[in-house]
Amino acid sequence: MSYKDYQNARNASWKILLDCDIDRLPVDLNVIRDLIGVRIVSYKDAKALIQKRNLSALTVQTDGLTFYAGAEPVILYSEVCSPERIRFTIAHELGHIVLGHVAPGNITTKNREPFPGDSPQETAANQFAARLLAPACVLWGLDLHTADEIAEACRISKQAAQFRSERMKTLYARNKFLSSPLERKLYQRFMPFMEAVCCREVRPGESLQSD
């Protein structure tokens, strides 16, 4: 994966969070779903659609997939996965849509936990998902380091959190935060939530109550 592709995925995740006015963890994917205008359905509830499009064999091989029904993007996911894994699956598929990897007439064919050796598109979608659900500047603002801390705060799987934790080690060592105007804007958006967590008004992973 080229650095340019990495930047595109990272910046796209920040922009979606800002556009959707997301300001707390865990990230509410329903808000993003509504803004993008995507339909999200479990394999169980999409049986008729799966049969109509001859996708039965594919659903056995992947935790999620995306295609277009006319002009509408549709994400299907396996409901047998854990809630944390489902969140990453949906975020990954949102990444394919936002990054332009899927268009009418195409279908994404692979969705799994991040894995070394993934194709550039799969890597980019995973980069997008990780940064959408666990933005580095927010993890830094909350002083989160370990996979357990990140998994709890962001409600992602332990495996996905481990990958994020490894990346955060590098960023902490380089003190590489808030170097982009977009990231600084995102950090400011999350500031009230981070202050509430630090003041123990809420714990990471709990919702900040609205006034």
Side-chain angles (χ1 to χ4, degrees):
M1 183 184 186
S2 71
Y3 185 67
K4 182 178 179 180
D5 288 340
Y6 161 79
Q7 281 186 312
N8 287 341
R10 180 199 66 189
N11 292 351
S13 71
W14 290 343
K15 189 173 187 304
I16 285 292
L17 290 170
L18 289 167
D19 288 347
C20 294
D21 201 22
I22 301 294
D23 61 0
R24 64 202 66 187
L25 298 178
V27 169
D28 188 345
L29 291 177
N30 291 329
V31 174
I32 299 173
R33 173 201 65 195
D34 294 342
L35 178 74
I36 294 178
V38 58
R39 183 157 42 120
I40 302 176
V41 192
S42 69
Y43 288 166
K44 179 180 178 181
D45 292 336
K47 279 185 178 180
L49 186 58
I50 289 170
Q51 292 175 353
K52 180 180 179 181
R53 290 181 171 261
N54 297 315
L55 298 175
S56 297
L58 187 56
T59 60
V60 176
Q61 303 169 17
T62 181
D63 291 341
L65 56 90
T66 298
F67 60 88
Y68 273 77
E72 179 187 41
V74 179
I75 293 175
L76 303 184
Y77 67 89
S78 173
E79 70 282 350
V80 302
C81 297
S82 70
E84 294 79 11
R85 172 58 193 153
I86 289 172
R87 279 173 54 76
F88 198 91
T89 294
I90 292 171
H92 175 103
E93 295 302 322
L94 287 171
H96 280 308
I97 295 168
V98 171
L99 297 172
H101 297 164
V102 60
N106 301 132
I107 299 175
T108 60
T109 58
K110 185 182 294 183
N111 189 311
R112 64 185 180 194
E113 297 281 9
F115 188 80
D118 280 338
S119 72
Q121 282 198 351
E122 291 304 310
T123 300
N126 278 330
Q127 296 279 10
F128 175 93
R131 284 145 186 81
L132 184 78
L133 297 174
C137 66
V138 180
L139 301 184
W140 173 65
L142 294 171
D143 195 29
L144 302 182
H145 293 257
T146 70
D148 285 338
E149 290 171 339
I150 294 170
E152 179 183 6
C154 303
R155 292 186 191 166
I156 58 177
S157 71
K158 183 66 175 295
Q159 186 174 347
Q162 185 62 50
F163 273 85
R164 202 70 185 110
S165 175
E166 291 299 319
R167 176 59 179 167
M168 289 300 296
K169 285 181 184 178
T170 301
L171 295 177
Y172 275 118
R174 295 166 56 195
N175 194 27
K176 191 68 173 179
F177 301 99
L178 309 185
S179 58
S180 161
L182 201 60
E183 187 180 28
R184 290 195 291 272
K185 187 174 181 180
L186 184 66
Y187 186 80
Q188 289 298 320
R189 180 70 57 80
F190 273 81
M191 185 67 77
F193 170 77
M194 293 187 292
E195 289 177 346
V197 170
C198 292
C199 293
R200 301 184 183 276
E201 293 176 20
V202 296
R203 293 178 56 202
E206 292 180 344
S207 296
L208 180 65
Q209 294 298 316
S210 300
D211 293 334

